[in-house]
Amino acid sequence: MSLTNRILIAMVAGILLGSLLNLILHAAGTSAEIRALLDTYLVGGLFDVVGRIFVASLKLLVVPLVLVSLICGSSSLGSSARMGPIAAKTVALYLFTTAVAITSALIFAIVIGPGANVELGGVATFQATVPPPLTDVLVDIFPSNPVQAMADGKMLQIIVFALIFGYAISHAGEPGRRIASFFRDMEAVVMKMVELLMLLAPYGVFALLAKLFANMGIGAIIDLASYFFTVLAVLIFHALVVYSLMLKGVTGLSPRLLLTKMRPVWAFAFSTASSGATLPVTLRTVEYRMGVHNSVAGFTIPLGATVNMDGTAIMQGVATVFIAQVFGVDLSVTAFLTVILTATLASIGTAAVPGVGLITLAMVLSQVGLPVEGIALIIGVDRLLDMFRTAVNVTGDSVVSVIVAHGEEQLDRDVFLDADAADGSVDLDVYPNSKS
Ligand code: ASP
């Protein structure tokens, strides 16, 4: 059975078993012993341990992978003068997709009016954190100590360091060539680690989802159904319609094929709710399954996982309108433009880990004068939405990567068009180089 199918089956099984456990744990007839047994040994024991080890192993690969793949990418582009244009195109596309995402979110939310009939009863308090000044955010992109940046997992700092290092390699003559070949070998080895981890993915995904659904009361969705389904509708619209139109329009390639290849990545994004933890899988998929050359994928994917969060922006757009409606505030046209601008910035500033989108939402709300406590209204369904929006976040990165690679003639169309490319059971004896 293909890896994709195994992961998807694990995902469905995890959700079903978790939901069943939730029912049993909350059923009146369940004895205290059974409840304690299931809670302690299964949900809080086995599932918790397997899930946490799985996420830790994914995170383990992020820093080495970003570092080596970016160094490889920028060292192979550094001498060709394509680095600047690729970076400019990528950033422009990321900003464009995010702006489109918020605009659709605002339009959907205004038309549907999810907050129109919601009663404002007993709003819990929400403690907003004060965002750092913009100047600090900017300065913080530049590392003063690369080792510290890696130890702290500061992605933007690692990206900047790797780009400069790779560029220097490409201009350092023979020593540069030797170092470049070392990093290419390193990349193959780290990618092999990703493949090993993929073998365990079905168990990890299963454990994460079973635990989450066993603990999560889905009942909160009923109270917030209008908000929940509005966000979900825009997320689906963006993933299926906007990305498909962009891909088809610019490259002529089949969106259906791309979306099919994204399925295992979605399972990772959905179960971890973290674009960062999903990054190794996104990178592997875009390179080996979609045929994007490492020089482009190595730059676009780590950067996208860090700054490009269309799903998060969608949630923030709908949430802003929802909170405004609940509090009976009429937003002006200027306020909507402010939301588009600040939600773009907020989604860039959102770390690629679970739940941060909700924290940066405070920034958007305060910019348009809405009460930050409004966030408490939507907390109940945020974890579930986080899973969906993270899946959209990683899809956006992959689509932009394919589009940029296509424009730069760095896309292996044969790999893209091969539906089964690199989706067999992982062959541990073969160097997985299907790149052009
Ligand atoms: N969990 C999201 C991600 O990692 C970020 C967020 O919206 O909270 O992409």
Side-chain angles (χ1 to χ4, degrees):
M1 196 191 290
S2 74
L3 198 57
T4 299
N5 286 344
R6 272 187 287 152
I7 294 173
L8 292 179
I9 290 173
M11 184 174 155
V12 176
I15 294 176
L16 290 180
L17 181 71
S19 310
L20 185 73
L21 285 171
N22 186 276
L23 286 180
I24 297 175
L25 286 169
H26 291 96
T30 311
S31 69
E33 290 88 58
I34 302 249
R35 202 168 285 152
L37 210 69
L38 289 179
D39 225 5
T40 320
Y41 293 106
L42 199 61
V43 179
L46 185 68
F47 294 162
D48 180 55
V49 168
V50 175
R52 275 178 23 208
I53 292 177
F54 176 61
V55 173
S57 333
L58 278 170
K59 286 193 187 155
L60 160 85
L61 294 174
V62 172
V63 170
L65 196 61
V66 169
L67 188 74
V68 292
S69 63
L70 259 171
I71 290 178
C72 288
S74 56
S75 63
S76 69
L77 284 177
S79 48
S80 74
R82 293 309 301 162
M83 217 161 127
I86 290 181
K89 253 193 241 178
T90 307
V91 172
L93 277 169
Y94 281 156
L95 289 175
F96 173 74
T97 51
T98 308
V100 171
I102 308 169
T103 311
S104 347
L106 292 177
I107 295 173
F108 268 76
I110 293 165
V111 173
I112 298 175
N117 297 316
V118 176
E119 288 291 310
L120 187 60
V123 175
T125 47
F126 177 81
Q127 203 59 48
T129 41
V130 186
L134 203 61
T135 44
D136 285 4
V137 175
L138 240 131
V139 173
D140 204 40
I141 295 176
F142 297 90
S144 57
N145 178 343
V147 180
Q148 182 85 49
M150 284 177 236
D152 295 343
K154 295 209 162 166
M155 295 323 287
L156 284 175
Q157 295 197 352
I158 301 174
I159 291 174
V160 169
F161 173 72
L163 283 177
I164 299 172
F165 193 77
Y167 183 82
I169 285 179
S170 66
H171 287 79
E174 190 44 38
R177 269 187 289 281
R178 281 198 299 269
I179 294 284
S181 108
F182 166 77
F183 275 103
R184 268 196 298 277
D185 289 351
M186 274 294 276
E187 206 219 351
V189 174
V190 182
M191 269 297 182
K192 193 51 98 181
M193 286 174 76
V194 178
E195 305 229 320
L196 285 169
L197 190 65
M198 297 285 286
L199 290 176
L200 302 178
Y203 308 100
V205 166
F206 173 80
L208 279 177
L209 288 174
K211 178 181 174 220
L212 198 75
F213 278 78
N215 287 334
M216 194 163 54
I218 304 286
I221 294 182
I222 299 168
D223 303 331
L224 283 167
S226 54
Y227 166 73
F228 181 86
F229 288 108
T230 308
V231 178
L232 198 59
V234 193
L235 288 175
I236 294 173
F237 171 79
H238 196 71
L240 300 188
V241 180
V242 176
Y243 290 148
S244 297
L245 287 177
M246 275 179 64
L247 186 74
K248 189 83 193 161
V250 181
T251 67
L253 292 165
S254 154
R256 178 187 286 257
L257 206 49
L258 182 137
L259 294 175
T260 312
K261 291 185 180 195
M262 282 307 291
R263 285 189 314 190
V265 188
W266 288 339
F268 276 76
F270 192 75
S271 52
T272 61
S274 164
S275 317
T278 309
L279 196 145
V281 191
T282 321
L283 192 59
R284 178 185 182 275
T285 304
V286 168
E287 275 192 48
Y288 295 153
R289 303 207 61 208
M290 298 183 188
V292 175
H293 192 274
N294 163 267
S295 56
V296 172
F299 172 69
T300 50
I301 297 298
L303 184 71
T306 315
V307 303
N308 182 45
M309 310 240 174
D310 297 353
T312 302
I314 286 171
M315 176 279 285
Q316 294 182 338
V318 176
T320 307
V321 175
F322 175 78
I323 290 169
Q325 286 168 346
V326 175
F327 282 89
V329 178
D330 272 333
L331 293 174
S332 62
V333 177
T334 330
F336 283 120
L337 293 177
T338 312
V339 173
I340 295 181
L341 190 73
T342 47
T344 305
L345 294 175
S347 69
I348 292 174
T350 301
V353 290
V356 181
L358 202 67
I359 297 171
T360 49
L361 172 63
M363 205 172 114
V364 184
L365 294 178
S366 54
Q367 278 302 317
V368 287
L370 284 169
V372 171
E373 302 76 49
I375 292 179
L377 287 171
I378 53 173
I379 277 184
V381 288
D382 195 66
R383 173 66 207 207
L384 201 55
L385 281 177
D386 197 4
M387 299 157 83
F388 288 105
R389 69 176 179 254
T390 306
V392 173
N393 290 346
V394 296
T395 311
D397 306 339
S398 309
V399 170
V400 168
S401 187
V402 171
I403 292 179
V404 172
H406 175 266
E408 292 294 318
E409 294 177 355
Q410 297 289 327
L411 183 77
D412 187 335
R413 289 178 84 95
D414 293 339
V415 174
F416 186 93
L417 295 175
D418 176 2
D420 298 321
D423 189 35
S425 58
V426 176
D427 187 346
L428 294 178
D429 295 328
V430 175
Y431 176 60
N433 205 347
S434 55
K435 293 175 284 181
S436 57

